[in-house]
Amino acid sequence: MEKRLEMHGGILGGLVPLITLVGGLVWLSVAERGGTKPFWACAWIAITLGLFFARNKADYCKAAMRGIGDKTGIVIVTAWLFAGVFGKLMVAGGLVDGLLWMGMTTGAQGAVFTLMVFVAAMLFALGTGTSTGTCIALTPVLYPAGHFLGADPAMLGLAILSGAAFGDNLAPISDTTIVSAYTQGATMRDVVRSRFPLAMAAATIAAGVFLVFGGGGALQPLPEIQARMNPLGAFMLLALVVVVAAALSGRHIIESLIYGNVSAAVIGMVTGNLTLQTLFSIPAKRGISTGIIEDGINSVVGAIIFAILILAVTQILVETGIMKRILNAAEGAIVRSVRQAEFFIIGVTVVASVPISANAPAELLVGPSLVRPVGEKFDLAPARRANLMDCAVCTVFFMLPWHIVVAAWYAAVVSAGEAYGISVPPISAALYNPYSWALLAVLVFSAYTGWNRKLGGNAEPLSEAA
C-alpha cells in the first residue's frame, strides 16, 4: 500500500495548497494582472502554507521535490528552452516581414483579405509557437490595412486572434502542445499527426465564416502604413517545415527543435536578416543581451519556473490522496465509458482554463493528475488524451477578456485603431472567435462519434475500454 502524505485537517488540510494556488491565479487573472511571472508568488505561497498543515514536514518537502524533479517536467522545461530560441529566431529572421508581404501584395479586398489575414496569423503562430506574439506582431499592420481594404472590423480582428489560437493548438513548439504531449506520455509525432485533422477541420469551418462574413466594409484610400515587407522573410517557414518533418519522422522533440534552430539561423543569415553577431556576441556593457539565443531563453524563464512550482503543488496533492478521491468521485458519478471519459477530459480542461489567464498552467494542473489517469483507465491512447486536452484548452480560453492573449490582442487592435483614426470592435467581440467555437464543435463531435479516437499504446492500461 502506498504511503500517503498525512495532513492536519484531513482532506481540507490537503486542499490548502490547491485552494491557495487557484485562488491566487483567479484573483490575478480577474484583475487582469495574470501571467507566468506574477503566478510564481501564488505557487510559492501555496507550497509554503501547505507545509504548516503537513503532519510530517520532511515528507511534505520530499513530495514537493519529487514533483520538481519529475521526468515529465524535465522534458517540458528542456523543450521550452529550445522552442523559445526558435521563436525568437523566426521573428528576427524576418517572418513578420514575409507574411506582411504575402498579405499586402495579393490585391485581395474585403472578405478575401480577412481570410488571408487568418492564414497569415496561422502561419506566424505555427512558426513561432506564440499566440500572444502573433497578435502583437501582426495586428499593427494587418488590422488597419484590412480596414481600408473593406474588411469587417470585428471579423478582421478575430481573424488574427483565430490564427493565433490555431498555432497555439497545433504548433509542435507551442507551450500547450509540449505540455499536453509530455504530461500524457505521448510522442510529438503521434500528437501532431493525430491533431492535424482536428485543427484543420476547425480551421476550415472558421475560414468559411471569414469568407462569408469578413467583408462589408467600405473601400478607402490605403494610407502609407509603416511596415517592412520583405518576401525573403517567408523563407523562414522552411525552418518550421524542418521541425515538423523531424518530429513526424520519429525524432525526439529536442532533436527536432535543435535542427529547426540551426535551420532558422542559417536561413536568416542567407537572406541577410541575421548575422552571427545577432545570435551571440559579447555585449558592449554588462547586463546587455548577448543576442537572440539569450533573448529566446529569457522569454521562457517565467513559464519554466512556474511549471516547476506547479508540478511541486500537484505532486503534493497526488501524495495526499486528494486527486485520487476526486477521480473516484468523478468515475463513480459520470465516467463509465470511453465516450464519457473523453467528455470528462474536455470538461475538466475547459473548466480549468476559464479562471486562469494562461492556458499551459491549466494543462499542468489537470494533465498529470486527472486527465492521464482517467484516460488510461479506459485505454485512451496518449496522443488522444493530449489532443482532447490541448484542443479543449484552446477553445474558451481564446474568448474571455481576462486571459493574457485576448487582452494583448485587444490592446494591439486599439493601438492600431488609434494610430490610424479607425474604429475598433469592443473586446466582447472575442466571444465570437470563429476558430475556437469551431474547434469546440469539432471536439464534441469527435468525442461523441469516436472520430479520430485511438485506443491503446499505454504502458499498463488499467482496464478494458467500455
Side-chain angles (χ1 to χ4, degrees), residues 10 17 23 35 50 54 70 94 190 192 233 277 299 416 422 451:
D70 182 78
D190 289 343
V192 173
Q277 287 70 33
S299 70
I422 56 180
W451 173 64

Side-chain angles (χ1 to χ4, degrees), residues 11-369:
I11 190 171
L12 290 178
L15 282 171
V16 166
L18 178 63
I19 293 172
T20 304
L21 173 65
V22 175
L25 300 187
V26 172
W27 187 16
L28 285 172
S29 298
V30 172
E32 298 183 3
R33 298 295 185 272
T36 49
K37 286 188 178 181
F39 287 165
W40 291 351
C42 301
W44 187 92
I45 294 170
I47 295 170
T48 302
L49 283 180
L51 176 70
F52 295 99
F53 286 84
R55 292 184 182 275
N56 188 312
K57 314 300 186 196
D59 287 348
Y60 179 91
C61 295
K62 290 175 183 176
M65 289 188 287
R66 277 191 289 273
I68 291 173
D70 182 78
K71 64 180 181 180
T72 297
I74 297 302
V75 174
I76 291 171
V77 166
T78 309
W80 274 351
L81 287 173
F82 288 94
V85 176
F86 183 77
K88 291 292 184 181
L89 283 169
M90 294 291 278
V91 174
L95 180 59
V96 176
D97 303 339
L99 292 175
L100 292 179
W101 172 82
M102 289 171 58
M104 297 287 287
T105 60
T106 59
Q109 298 176 349
V112 175
F113 188 83
T114 302
L115 177 59
M116 291 209 61
V117 169
F118 175 50
V119 173
M122 288 168 61
L123 292 173
F124 185 88
L126 279 174
T128 60
T130 167
S131 53
T132 303
T134 298
C135 297
I136 293 172
L138 299 185
T139 302
V141 173
L142 292 183
Y143 182 78
H147 180 92
F148 290 109
L149 290 173
D152 177 82
M155 297 306 292
L156 178 64
L158 288 174
I160 299 172
L161 184 61
S162 288
F166 174 88
D168 201 21
N169 182 208
L170 186 61
I173 61 170
S174 162
D175 55 355
T176 59
T177 303
I178 291 169
V179 170
S180 65
Y182 290 102
T183 57
Q184 301 309 306
T187 66
M188 191 60 67
R189 174 183 61 182
D190 289 343
V191 165
V192 173
R193 280 180 174 175
S194 55
R195 188 174 302 168
F196 184 80
L198 298 170
M200 284 308 300
T204 301
I205 296 170
V209 172
F210 289 125
L211 201 54
V212 173
F213 300 104
L219 283 171
Q220 302 174 50
L222 192 65
E224 183 179 346
I225 294 177
Q226 299 299 317
R228 292 175 53 203
M229 292 183 286
N230 183 357
L232 294 177
F235 283 103
M236 293 301 293
L237 289 171
L238 293 174
L240 172 63
V241 173
V242 169
V243 174
V244 174
L248 291 180
S249 68
R251 303 289 183 178
H252 192 277
I253 184 58
I254 306 301
E255 182 183 358
S256 302
L257 285 170
I258 289 176
Y259 293 152
N261 275 267
V262 173
S263 300
V266 171
I267 294 169
M269 286 189 283
V270 169
T271 57
N273 291 318
L274 293 176
T275 64
L276 285 175
Q277 287 70 33
T278 59
L279 297 177
F280 176 79
S281 63
I282 298 176
K285 292 190 293 185
R286 185 186 299 273
I288 298 175
S289 172
T290 58
I292 292 172
I293 297 173
E294 179 188 335
D295 294 342
I297 294 172
N298 187 54
S299 70
V300 295
V301 167
I304 287 173
I305 293 177
F306 184 63
I308 290 171
L309 291 170
I310 205 170
L311 286 168
V313 174
T314 53
Q315 184 64 28
I316 290 167
L317 293 170
V318 168
E319 296 196 22
T320 58
I322 289 172
M323 287 303 183
K324 190 172 182 179
R325 290 192 184 189
I326 294 173
L327 280 172
N328 290 338
E331 290 168 8
I334 59 174
V335 184
R336 297 174 182 171
S337 68
V338 169
R339 180 187 293 172
Q340 290 174 351
E342 292 198 336
F343 277 115
F344 174 80
I345 291 171
I346 295 167
V348 75
T349 306
V350 169
V351 169
S353 71
V354 168
I356 302 174
S357 65
N359 50 3
E363 288 184 322
L364 280 167
L365 268 178
V366 301
S369 54

